[in-house]
């Protein structure tokens, strides 16, 4: 009898558990006080901004795995299944995640609150090659430069949009999200100021980079970027482009060829070898490795390293 009762209790507990799963599976606005919002983000910068502003009121799941270059990434069935059970989906937009429109259309989760973090940011046109032709693969990436987050002022705007999305989904914690946003808004302002103050007096203004991710950063601080590759990092540069870049490096006495950790440095190294320049890392903050994440790196620490690398290259 006793055994039976224990078993019955266990069955009831299981039934209650599955009911909880069904209830928390309901998306959109949060169901009950005390529950955390389930938020999915597309790739690293918006993931980091969401963690910071959402704090302990949100469960955040990032789609693009650590150490993966996000430009060509697409969600799989497990990502779609997670989206069906999320309250909020946050992506950067401006053409970075080319898959969002199709994926969102296919979802049956009609209560999902969708936040395009770059909304309201003035976008730069996509890169045009010197011969006047747009990049061949720009159908994948839209007509705009998607790398808005590399200007700290834009990153602040992205976090503000994310904060507003969380408030919309979870109005009872509005004050909490607002307070977190305020802390980081100040950090973005400080970062912007230290970029301004560090870079303005430097004599050199041209950077050579592996892929042209730094359009917004360059506009913000009076720099010019020359990309070995275009807006996406995986397109193989043709020999003519490499020759142009080599000439540019020589003519402008560029000291450093920047590459990034998620992409092979082979081409940057070849140009450095040819010109006597050295190579260094400049991160587009598109994805941190597990090692960086475990070491506690984030948008701010990587941008500080970027600033130090730029200073060394341009002084
Ligand atoms: Zn990029």
């Amino acid at each position: 009898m006793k055994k039976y009762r224990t078993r019955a209790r266990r069955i009831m507990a299981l039934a209650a558990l599955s009911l909880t799963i069904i209830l928390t599976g309901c998306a959109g606005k949060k169901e009950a006080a005390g529950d955390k919002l389930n938020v999915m983000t597309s790739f690293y910068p918006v993931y980091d901004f969401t963690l910071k502003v959402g704090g302990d009121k949100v469960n955040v799941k990032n789609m693009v795995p650590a150490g993966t270059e996000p430009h060509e990434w697409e969600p799989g069935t497990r990502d779609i299944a997670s989206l069906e059970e999320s309250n909020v989906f946050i992506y950067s937009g401006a053409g970075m995640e080319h898959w969002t429109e199709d994926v969102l259309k296919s979802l049956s989760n009609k209560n999902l609150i969708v936040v395009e973090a770059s909304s309201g940011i003035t976008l730069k046109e996509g890169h045009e090659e010197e011969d006047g032709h747009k990049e061949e693969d720009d159908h994948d990436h839209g007509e705009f430069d998607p790398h808005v987050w590399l200007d700290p002022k834009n990153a602040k705007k992205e976090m503000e949009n994310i904060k507003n999305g969380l408030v919309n989904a979870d109005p009872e914690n509005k004050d909490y999200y607002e307070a977190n946003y305020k802390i980081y808004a100040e950090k973005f302002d400080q970062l912007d100021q230290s970029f301004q103050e560090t870079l303005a007096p430097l004599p050199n203004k041209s950077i050579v980079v592996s892929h042209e991710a730094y359009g917004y950063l360059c506009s913000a601080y009076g720099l010019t970027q020359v990309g070995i590759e275009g807006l996406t990092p995986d397109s193989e540069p043709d020999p003519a482009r490499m020759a142009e870049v080599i000439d540019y490096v020589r003519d402008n006495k560029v000291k450093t060829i920047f590459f990034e950790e998620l992409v092979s440095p082979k081409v940057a190294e070849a140009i450095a070898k040819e010109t006597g320049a050295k190579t260094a890392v400049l991160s587009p903050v598109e994805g941190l490795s597990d090692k960086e994440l475990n070491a506690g790196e984030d948008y701010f620490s990587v941008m500080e390293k970027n600033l130090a690398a730029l200073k060394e290259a341009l002084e």
Side-chain angles (χ1 to χ4, degrees), residues 97-290:
E97 305 93 335
H98 60 278
W99 43 268
T100 43
E101 201 180 328
D102 288 342
V103 166
L104 292 174
K105 245 189 278 172
S106 77
L107 293 181
S108 48
N109 179 359
K110 298 304 173 201
N111 296 317
L112 185 69
I113 289 172
V114 176
V115 178
E116 181 174 12
S118 64
S119 174
I121 292 171
T122 307
L123 299 180
K124 294 171 74 71
E125 298 245 338
H127 171 72
E128 210 155 313
E129 296 288 335
E130 270 163 30
D131 59 6
H133 292 296
K134 287 253 180 183
E135 272 181 281
E136 274 169 39
D137 64 345
D138 75 357
H139 61 274
D140 265 346
H141 309 286
E143 51 188 312
F144 297 109
D145 179 349
H147 304 91
V148 292
W149 61 90
L150 289 165
D151 174 351
K153 292 185 289 299
N154 290 343
K156 178 181 168 183
K157 178 69 185 170
E158 291 210 289
M159 192 187 272
E160 185 188 356
N161 286 331
I162 291 168
K163 180 261 294 172
N164 290 339
L166 297 182
V167 170
N168 182 19
D170 181 21
E172 74 184 67
N173 287 311
K174 180 176 192 292
D175 291 349
Y176 177 84
Y177 299 128
E178 294 284 358
N180 283 347
Y181 170 68
K182 208 174 156 228
I183 292 168
Y184 289 103
E186 272 171 34
K187 293 191 82 173
F188 285 122
D189 289 344
Q190 285 163 6
L191 185 68
D192 174 45
Q193 205 184 335
S194 69
F195 266 79
Q196 207 74 259
E197 287 169 359
T198 308
L199 297 176
L202 299 181
N204 300 310
K205 302 292 175 193
S206 295
I207 58 173
V208 173
V209 296
S210 57
H211 98 278
E212 295 193 325
Y214 305 93
Y216 295 91
L217 187 147
C218 286
S219 294
Y221 306 111
L223 307 180
T224 306
Q225 69 174 343
V226 172
I228 301 167
E229 293 147 45
L231 280 173
T232 56
D234 57 346
S235 47
E236 282 284 314
D238 57 90
R241 180 66 188 155
M242 281 190 65
E244 273 172 24
V245 174
I246 287 167
D247 284 346
Y248 184 89
V249 169
R250 288 191 176 128
D251 292 348
N252 295 279
K253 302 192 170 48
V254 172
K255 292 191 291 181
T256 309
I257 314 297
F258 286 114
F259 68 100
E260 58 198 72
E261 279 162 331
L262 298 183
V263 179
S264 162
K266 247 179 20 201
V267 181
E269 278 166 359
I271 291 173
K273 199 173 166 208
E274 184 69 29
T275 57
K278 58 175 193 165
T279 59
V281 170
L282 192 65
S283 171
V285 206
E286 291 181 350
L288 268 54
S289 65
D290 279 321

Side-chain angles (χ1 to χ4, degrees), residues 21 23-30 35-41 50 57-61 82-90 109 112-113 166 169-170 177:
I21 291 169
L23 286 176
T24 54
C26 296
K29 301 231 179 208
K30 223 175 50 157
D35 283 351
K36 290 188 180 190
L37 270 186
N38 288 317
V39 183
M40 280 201 93
T41 58
T50 304
K57 307 293 183 198
V58 296
N59 292 316
V60 192
K61 204 164 160 188
S82 297
L83 273 178
E84 293 285 13
E85 300 197 336
S86 295
N87 304 104
V88 184
F89 169 58
I90 296 167
N109 179 359
L112 185 69
I113 289 172
L166 297 182
D170 181 21
Y177 299 128

